[in-house]
């Protein structure tokens, strides 16, 4: 089944491949050598991005736009076609300079991004082609909190195998998978250091992976932010807030994720909304999550979630039905989020704030309260309330970000696949 | 008079010449052309930095360390000497390879950094030589809040002239001055958009400057952070907090000031320490400044500041005398600062937090409370409490930062003076 997710056709070539900070988990694009080989790599990427950026281009068009010779473009295009990155389409009609040629397009077969996800209430696997279209989408609902990590990883690996098989049936070749986790990663690869909402501590996902490609791990809030960055026209500096069981933020600076000195940046859920308030599971008082995470809202709304049901679907249903206590609970959460976001905006001065994750679905009710708090609290250096929006990716952001990460890496450095 | 300020001899060549973000007020180092002229510029800077970095080097030593030929080094050194950037010292003794030569050093005459400051309670002017030593230090106490801006600027200009004359008497040539202001700058140069503690709104300092070089303006919190960065061994990612009448922060990322999307980053004073608390002058409730700025502490301590006295000196005097209400007031301020800093650390994940400005003088009493709050609030991703320190530059940070900015710019790009 394919969900109704906004396509990411207009892949933006932002420099989001590596993170700021000293211990970012996302990899670096290799430096660019000035050698002949290096030149060819660069030109390969240039041609691929030109094809990606504009539909309906012929080889002659690509030569015209890149300034490369037609012979060079042809050789590079051939290499990209052989590697399965580019496809030829119909013969272009007249009206263009030179003899007509075939149009070029990113391939909808061949190499593809492969995203996996462990959520508190589900597992997911998806495959996204080079055009940014979701081609395989598998999701299994089920509570993972406090479940044996080995079991969860085993089930996810089976789901990944199923997704791979479906993708291969579509002539797609999923590349190395990336796994979105709702927690903090360890210093060593493959380790979930701390995922409080799963009840995980120092879980070696990489070691538990049964066979084949163990996925690279990344934090869900970071991946949600990257998905938002790639989705469309998010500005260079923005704050991406994702909320569900936990509440996290990701800071994108000049189109790059900011990781902080230890890779811990973006903690929003334990900001002090009420320093004298109730005690949080973390030990501190009055943390934002106590007022604004999913459990807090459900509790304040007095809403019961039937076993197996999706809490956010239940909540939005109640909100749409104008259930009074639900609306009050969401408003309270919006106020708390607004107070924390006012502080975060004051510190970071982002151009925009994007609400992602499950809470994007509550945007219609949350945003007015958040905006009102921002208007109240940010007076000296006011912030346009309309710069706070809900992402249309919502809960699908992290897993899409995981798959798109690979797609972006290929578009940046196609030579990694052609050599 | 020369104050007891830590020397900045070991000038670090960090890339702090330009800010992150879209509207940083500090200038950019020009790009590096690959031409012959560009090569000479780069080599000039390389030689100057080599001389600056290590004492007691001869031309031969510089050639050895840079990989440049002796002839090239000699030509470059001659240019640096003619421009007054480098001096020759004694003939080096034996024990080194090659024939002995004269030692080279950054000049303690010639071009110098020129810092100016408008404080709420003082005006300042200082001249710092290329070695980072403070050579001229003038400071006039006097309340500037709600005084006619033209009068203040006129008095500062006279002070600047006096400083320039004293510097020239020391054979120093103060370069274009930079002015530290306790407020928000306008988009156009030379404008103080908003300095609440001075009562200034849209003050065109540049237009009011009587004659000669009108200074470039920069925010005091930013300059304090830069001074701290250059002073010594501040880590690449840190948060600099400066507090006095207002409370501001500066974020240094990878050795560069982070300005934010609009140049507004670092607002700490209006973070919500008590969202249901008393109303701040900004219109919001429970802002940090209500609990922790100088007036709040003086008020809570019940301390009366005699006319003309320096409030911080009075406060530290009372604290040293173990005046009970003063200690309680400082502790309350430390708690509030700790709560706000815990939030800021969670978001930004700095390697260290440096307390600068006047509050550095209260460090002995503030730091234990700040550290306790950090231990209480940052549990999941703990932060070493010893990573919060008070800067020895204290209140002198911003004006030193203003002067050192020019020194650093010269060390980065000496060709700006030699051509």
């Amino acid at each position: 089944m394919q969900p109704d997710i906004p396509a990411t056709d207009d892949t933006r070539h932002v420099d989001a491949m590596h993170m700021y900070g000293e211990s970012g988990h996302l990899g670096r694009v290799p430096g660019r050598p000035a050698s002949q080989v290096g030149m060819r790599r660069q030109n390969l990427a240039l041609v691929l991005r030109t094809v990606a950026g504009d539909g309906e281009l012929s080889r002659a068009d690509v030569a015209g736009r890149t300034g490369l010779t037609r012979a060079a473009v042809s050789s590079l295009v051939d290499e990209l076609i052989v590697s399965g990155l580019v496809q030829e389409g119909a013969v272009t009609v007249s009206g263009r300079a030179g003899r007509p040629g075939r149009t070029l397009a990113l391939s909808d077969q061949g190499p593809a991004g492969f995203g996996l996800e462990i959520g508190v209430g589900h597992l997911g696997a998806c495959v996204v082609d080079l055009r940014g279209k979701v081609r395989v989408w598998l999701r299994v609902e089920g509570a993972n909190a406090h479940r044996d990590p080995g079991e969860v990883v085993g089930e996810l690996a089976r789901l990944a195998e199923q997704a791979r098989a479906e993708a291969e049936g579509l002539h797609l070749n999923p590349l190395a998978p990336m796994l979105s986790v709702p927690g903090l990663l360890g210093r060593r690869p493959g380790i979930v250091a701390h995922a409080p909402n799963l009840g995980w501590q120092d879980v070696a996902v990489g070691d538990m992976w049964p066979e084949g490609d163990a996925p690279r791990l990344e934090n869900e809030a970071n991946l949600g932010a990257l998905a938002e960055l790639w989705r469309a026209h998010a500005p260079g500096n923005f704050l991406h807030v994702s909320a569900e069981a936990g509440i996290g933020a990701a800071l994108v600076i000049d189109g790059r994720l900011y990781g902080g000195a230890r890779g811990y940046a973006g903690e929003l859920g334990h900001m002090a909304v009420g320093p004298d308030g109730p005690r949080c599971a973390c030990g501190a008082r009055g943390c934002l999550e106590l007022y604004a995470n999913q459990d807090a809202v459900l509790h304040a709304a007095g809403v019961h979630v039937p076993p197996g049901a999706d809490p956010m679907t239940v909540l939005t249903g109640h909100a749409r039905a104008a259930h009074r206590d639900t609306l009050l609970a969401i408003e309270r959460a919006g106020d708390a989020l607004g107070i924390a976001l006012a502080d975060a905006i004051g510190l970071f001065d982002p151009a925009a704030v994007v609400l992602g994750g499950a809470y994007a679905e509550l945007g219609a009710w949350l945003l007015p309260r958040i905006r009102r708090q921002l208007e109240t609290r940010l007076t000296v250096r006011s912030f346009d309330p309309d710069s706070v929006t809900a992402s249309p990716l919502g809960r699908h952001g992290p897993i899409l970000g995981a798959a798109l990460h690979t797609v972006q890496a290929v578009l940046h450095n196609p030579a990694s696949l052609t050599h």
Side-chain angles (χ1 to χ4, degrees), chain A:
Chain A
M1 101 190 136
Q2 181 159 338
D4 184 20
I5 293 171
T8 55
D9 271 345
D10 60 338
T11 36
R12 294 180 73 218
H13 306 292
V14 288
D15 182 16
M17 288 295 109
H18 55 107
M19 295 174 72
Y20 277 114
E22 291 152 26
S23 64
H25 292 288
L26 294 177
R28 271 191 169 277
V29 167
R32 302 186 170 185
S35 62
Q36 285 268 323
V37 171
M39 286 295 292
R40 188 167 174 89
R41 270 172 186 267
Q42 283 187 37
N43 289 336
L44 209 58
L46 178 63
V47 167
L48 185 61
R49 286 203 296 268
T50 305
V51 170
D54 269 302
E56 306 283 306
L57 297 184
S58 67
R59 293 173 190 228
D61 296 330
V62 171
R65 299 201 182 198
T66 58
L68 298 168
T69 65
R70 291 202 188 190
V73 168
S74 258
S75 159
L76 292 162
V77 165
D78 286 343
E79 190 170 341
L80 292 169
I81 290 173
V82 166
S83 308
L85 297 170
V86 162
Q87 285 172 330
E88 282 183 309
V91 173
T92 55
V93 290
S94 60
R96 295 171 188 246
R99 63 189 170 84
R102 287 175 172 277
T103 56
L104 301 170
L106 287 177
S107 180
D108 62 358
Q109 301 189 348
F114 194 6
L116 303 174
E117 181 169 41
I118 296 177
V120 175
H122 74 278
L123 297 176
C126 81
V127 178
V128 173
D129 68 22
L130 293 180
R131 299 179 184 181
K133 286 238 185 274
V134 176
R135 304 290 297 282
V136 176
W137 183 265
L138 301 176
R139 191 176 160 107
V140 178
E141 305 292 332
N144 295 317
H146 304 289
R147 209 177 140 196
D148 174 60
E151 241 180 57
V152 174
V153 170
E155 187 179 350
L156 180 67
R158 288 191 295 279
L159 196 69
E161 269 321 293
Q162 188 186 337
R164 182 183 291 282
E166 290 194 17
E168 287 169 357
L170 298 167
H171 307 288
L172 289 163
N173 169 30
L175 299 171
M178 176 163 276
L179 168 58
S180 165
V181 290
L184 193 59
L185 304 186
R187 290 259 174 200
R188 284 194 303 125
I191 308 279
V192 177
H194 188 68
N197 296 311
L198 287 173
W200 286 15
Q201 189 85 28
D202 296 318
V203 171
V205 171
D207 296 344
M208 292 174 174
W209 202 259
E211 60 184 55
D213 260 359
R216 268 174 71 192
L217 272 49
E218 187 48 75
N219 171 268
E220 62 171 7
N222 287 343
L223 289 172
L226 289 181
E228 188 59 29
L229 183 65
W230 291 322
R231 179 184 65 85
H233 311 284
N237 280 22
F238 71 96
L239 186 68
H240 183 268
V241 179
S242 52
E244 194 166 342
I247 300 177
L251 296 115
V252 175
I253 298 177
D254 294 341
R256 293 199 283 166
L257 262 180
Y258 168 72
R262 302 170 297 166
Y264 293 175
E267 181 60 83
L268 197 77
H270 297 281
M271 282 183 77
V273 168
D276 302 320
R279 195 171 289 282
C280 178
C282 81
R285 287 189 180 279
C287 296
L288 173 61
E289 290 190 357
L290 295 172
Y291 304 88
N293 78 356
Q294 190 176 275
D295 281 354
V297 175
L298 285 169
H299 183 78
V303 166
H304 172 69
V305 179
D310 172 56
M312 201 50 62
T313 307
V314 174
L315 260 184
T316 48
H318 276 66
R320 278 206 196 89
H323 179 249
R324 192 170 164 279
D325 287 350
T326 299
L327 293 180
L328 287 174
I330 295 175
E331 287 176 358
R332 194 181 77 134
D335 285 340
L337 274 165
I339 290 168
L341 284 175
D343 286 354
I345 290 167
L347 277 172
F348 269 95
D349 184 28
V353 175
V354 183
L355 194 61
Y359 271 35
E361 297 168 23
L362 296 178
W365 301 281
L366 282 173
L367 287 175
R369 299 300 284 211
I370 291 173
R371 290 176 178 147
R372 189 183 305 180
Q373 285 293 338
L374 297 186
E375 283 175 315
T376 305
R377 293 212 62 86
L378 298 171
T379 56
V380 179
R381 306 169 180 196
S382 65
F383 186 81
D384 178 4
D386 293 335
S387 296
V388 188
T389 55
S391 166
L393 297 179
R395 277 193 273 187
H396 302 311
I399 193 169
L400 289 173
L404 286 168
H405 180 267
T406 307
V407 170
Q408 289 289 327
V410 169
L411 294 178
H412 268 262
N413 185 23
S416 64
L417 292 183
T418 58
H419 287 288

